Amino acid sequence: KRRHLDWNVDEVKRARVPVIKIKSKTVDFDITAHRRNGVRNSALLRAYLEQDPELRWLSISVKSWSKRCGMNGSMGYITSYGFNIMTIYFLLQKKILKFVDPDSCCASTIDPLPRGMPLHAPKDPERIGQLLIEFLEFYRYDFNIEYDVVTLSRESRTTKEALNWTKTAEDMKIINAEKVAYRFCIEDPYEINLNVGRNVTPFKLDMMKKTFEKGIDTGMGLIQFPPAPAAQATAIPSAELQ
């Protein structure tokens, strides 16, 4: 661990890839290197959210909620990247976004400095709030956790059996001293045979379900948005955690 002025720098130990976490008083972010798929992942998510830029508020809200719940972390439940995939998959099932072929995002053609996408206050905050509730309801009650896979790799339904992400495969991983669970499955669109939800054990899955239920039942709290130009600040409902 190193301290540089107001920035705390920590190495994430036992991570699947080298990661450094940077924390300051105003912003937290991670740094990794030599990860071509990381560039493609970001480009793919951008391609989806460019269809409806205001939906970035939904992604931000889900990420904020998951962190406050303690469900977001590389060694915990699901990473921010995993929650982003979950958000896009949910919007695809709702027919709000159109499918983007992952192969359309080629690392060699991606601009190293993509143009900025200003984040303005949402014009319809109630819509974002409603989608956040529906996101929780979808993964608690509609999505078939036992059989299906959250994926952006193809438009058609993907099952655990199709990817051989079964209880038998999980048991074989344990025999080989690999800590990989297939209870909640999120397929990485670029890395073969990578379950982004591999840290979700049976116990954690039960906790996730209860957390989704609590987010729904508490009726949501308030997420503050920055004021739009020449307008007052607005707010939308968000999940209360306490």
Side-chain angles (χ1 to χ4, degrees):
K1 180 178 180 180
R2 297 181 59 188
R3 182 177 297 276
H4 177 68
L5 299 178
D6 291 334
W7 296 63
N8 290 332
V9 181
D10 290 291
E11 176 188 359
V12 180
K13 298 180 179 179
R14 298 186 298 166
R16 195 177 61 86
V17 297
V19 179
I20 294 176
K21 297 188 74 68
I22 310 294
K23 293 185 178 181
S24 72
K25 295 179 180 179
T26 57
V27 64
D28 297 347
F29 58 92
D30 299 345
I31 296 178
T32 186
H34 306 297
R35 299 286 298 168
R36 289 174 63 86
N37 283 338
V39 176
R40 298 182 75 189
N41 293 337
S42 297
L44 180 62
L45 295 176
R46 181 188 179 105
Y48 274 111
L49 293 175
E50 281 183 331
Q51 296 180 31
D52 189 341
E54 194 166 274
L55 290 175
R56 285 182 293 166
W57 281 110
L58 177 62
S59 177
I60 291 171
S61 298
V62 168
K63 178 178 178 180
S64 175
W65 169 81
S66 64
K67 284 183 174 290
R68 291 166 58 196
C69 286
M71 291 198 306
N72 188 316
S74 59
M75 300 306 295
Y77 289 69
I78 299 173
T79 61
S80 294
Y81 174 55
F83 276 108
N84 275 325
I85 294 178
M86 289 173 62
T87 301
I88 299 300
Y89 180 81
F90 159 72
L91 293 170
L92 285 171
Q93 303 312 300
K94 296 281 291 182
K95 309 298 183 183
I96 295 174
L97 295 179
K98 296 181 179 180
F99 178 76
V100 176
D101 187 347
D103 290 338
S104 66
C105 298
C106 179
S108 62
T109 60
I110 296 173
D111 190 340
L113 290 175
R115 60 180 177 80
M117 293 177 62
L119 185 63
H120 302 294
K123 297 178 181 178
D124 187 0
E126 289 78 12
R127 174 195 180 216
I128 305 300
Q130 182 61 39
L131 285 174
L132 183 54
I133 296 174
E134 292 177 6
F135 170 90
L136 299 175
E137 293 176 335
F138 174 78
Y139 283 107
R140 179 59 189 95
Y141 301 116
D142 300 332
F143 179 70
N144 195 330
I145 293 175
E146 184 175 355
Y147 295 103
D148 290 347
V149 176
V150 177
T151 183
L152 304 181
S153 297
R154 60 197 67 83
E155 291 188 77
S156 58
R157 176 193 176 204
T158 301
T159 64
K160 293 181 180 181
E161 185 176 3
L163 299 179
N164 193 30
W165 287 358
T166 61
K167 179 64 168 61
T168 301
E170 182 180 304
D171 292 340
M172 290 301 298
K173 293 286 187 179
I174 294 175
I175 293 174
N176 294 326
E178 297 181 58
K179 295 182 178 180
V180 176
Y182 293 124
R183 303 310 172 97
F184 189 87
C185 293
I186 306 172
E187 184 182 13
D188 189 285
Y190 295 111
E191 296 200 38
I192 298 175
N193 198 33
L194 175 60
N195 176 22
V196 181
R198 62 192 174 278
N199 291 323
V200 180
T201 61
F203 172 77
K204 290 180 180 179
L205 180 58
D206 288 340
M207 293 301 296
M208 281 181 62
K209 291 178 179 178
K210 292 177 180 178
T211 304
F212 284 135
E213 291 173 1
K214 189 172 183 179
I216 297 166
D217 295 341
T218 52
M220 322 304 272
L222 289 175
I223 287 183
Q224 294 292 329
F225 290 110
Q232 294 182 345
T234 56
I236 66 166
S238 168
E240 282 288 352
L241 304 181
Q242 305 298 329

